[in-house]
Amino acid sequence: MPMTATTVLTARALLLDMDGTLVNSDAAVERIWRRWAALHGVDGDEAMKVVHGRQGYASMALLLPDRPMAQNHADNARLLAEETADTDGVVEIPGAAVFLGSLAGLPHALVTSANVPLSTARMAAAGLPLPAVRVTAESVGASKPDPEGFLKGAAELGVDPADCLVFEDSGAGITAGRSAGMRVVGVGPRAAVHGPDALVTDLTRVRVERAGNGELRVTLG
C-alpha cells in the first residue's frame, strides 16, 4: 500500500524496530560490516544485502554457510562491541523523537536485533528515549526473520498478535512481523521492496492517537 493518500489503521499496540526505523545507523553498519566482509573474503555489497534486520551471527551464517556457528557467535560478540563503541553518524530517523513522544502512556515496545548495550548506545546517540518495554537480542533464541521477538513483544504488552502493528525497515523484520500474524508499516526506501502492508518515507508521516475501547488510531501520510 504505497502512501499516495492518507491511510488510517487501528491497533492495540505498536511494536517498533530500531535500526532503520527509529535510528539511522547505516553509516556505522556499513563501516563495521564492510570491514568484517573484507577480512573474511566476502563481497561487501553482498554482505550489505543481508545484514539489515538480523542478528550478526545469523547474517554470518548466510554469508559463510560452511563456518561453524560457534565462530559466528564469537565474531558477533566482537562486532556488537565495535558497533556499541562506534556511534559516529548515528541520528534519528526524521520524526522519531516526536513519534516516540506521542506514544507516552500508550502500549508500545522496542523489538530489536541489537543487544542491550548497542540499543542503549544508539538510542542515546540519536537523542531518543528507550521505550519501557524492550525485546532485545538477549530476549530471544532466534533472530529475525523468525517471529519470536515480535511475539514476545505482544506477550509483554498483553496484546493479541493480530492487534499489533509493526514498524520495520528491513526484509527480515517485515517477514518476522508477518510471520507473527501482524500488519507491518514499512519505514523508508529499504522497506519498499519487501511489500509491507503500508509504507511511509519516514516517521514525520505518522500520527498516533487514542481511539477509545483500547484502540489506537494510526494515521499515515
Side-chain angles (χ1 to χ4, degrees), residues 78-161:
R78 286 189 288 271
L79 258 64
L80 282 169
E82 289 182 38
E83 290 181 301
T84 301
D86 184 356
T87 57
D88 187 30
V90 174
V91 296
E92 70 166 316
I93 294 293
V98 172
F99 172 65
L100 285 171
S102 74
L103 299 184
L106 303 180
H108 68 286
L110 185 72
V111 181
T112 176
S113 294
N115 64 3
V116 169
L118 180 56
S119 57
T120 301
R122 283 189 174 160
M123 291 289 280
L128 299 175
L130 279 165
V133 178
R134 300 184 287 277
V135 178
T136 61
E138 296 93 338
S139 310
V140 297
S143 169
K144 299 173 186 177
D146 190 282
E148 182 184 1
F150 286 122
L151 293 172
K152 284 203 168 184
E156 286 281 338
L157 294 170
V159 176
D160 189 275

Side-chain angles (χ1 to χ4, degrees), residues 46-210:
E46 290 303 310
M48 296 315 300
K49 290 178 184 177
V50 303
V51 301
H52 294 291
R54 291 180 172 86
Q55 291 192 44
Y57 74 84
S59 297
M60 293 170 192
L62 290 174
L63 295 165
L64 297 173
D66 297 327
R67 195 166 79 147
M69 188 58 77
Q71 195 171 346
N72 294 336
H73 280 286
D75 261 14
N76 185 42
R78 286 189 288 271
L79 258 64
L80 282 169
E82 289 182 38
E83 290 181 301
T84 301
D86 184 356
T87 57
D88 187 30
V90 174
V91 296
E92 70 166 316
I93 294 293
V98 172
F99 172 65
L100 285 171
S102 74
L103 299 184
L106 303 180
H108 68 286
L110 185 72
V111 181
T112 176
S113 294
N115 64 3
V116 169
L118 180 56
S119 57
T120 301
R122 283 189 174 160
M123 291 289 280
L128 299 175
L130 279 165
V133 178
R134 300 184 287 277
V135 178
T136 61
E138 296 93 338
S139 310
V140 297
S143 169
K144 299 173 186 177
D146 190 282
E148 182 184 1
F150 286 122
L151 293 172
K152 284 203 168 184
E156 286 281 338
L157 294 170
V159 176
D160 189 275
D163 292 326
C164 293
L165 188 62
V166 168
F167 283 75
E168 263 285 0
D169 74 299
S170 71
I174 290 168
T175 297
R178 284 190 160 158
S179 296
M182 303 172 182
R183 292 158 297 152
V184 182
V185 176
V187 180
R190 192 155 49 228
V193 299
H194 299 290
D197 297 288
L199 179 69
V200 292
T201 53
D202 59 41
L203 295 172
T204 65
R205 313 293 295 176
V206 183
R207 187 170 74 254
V208 183
E209 305 163 294
R210 289 188 187 275

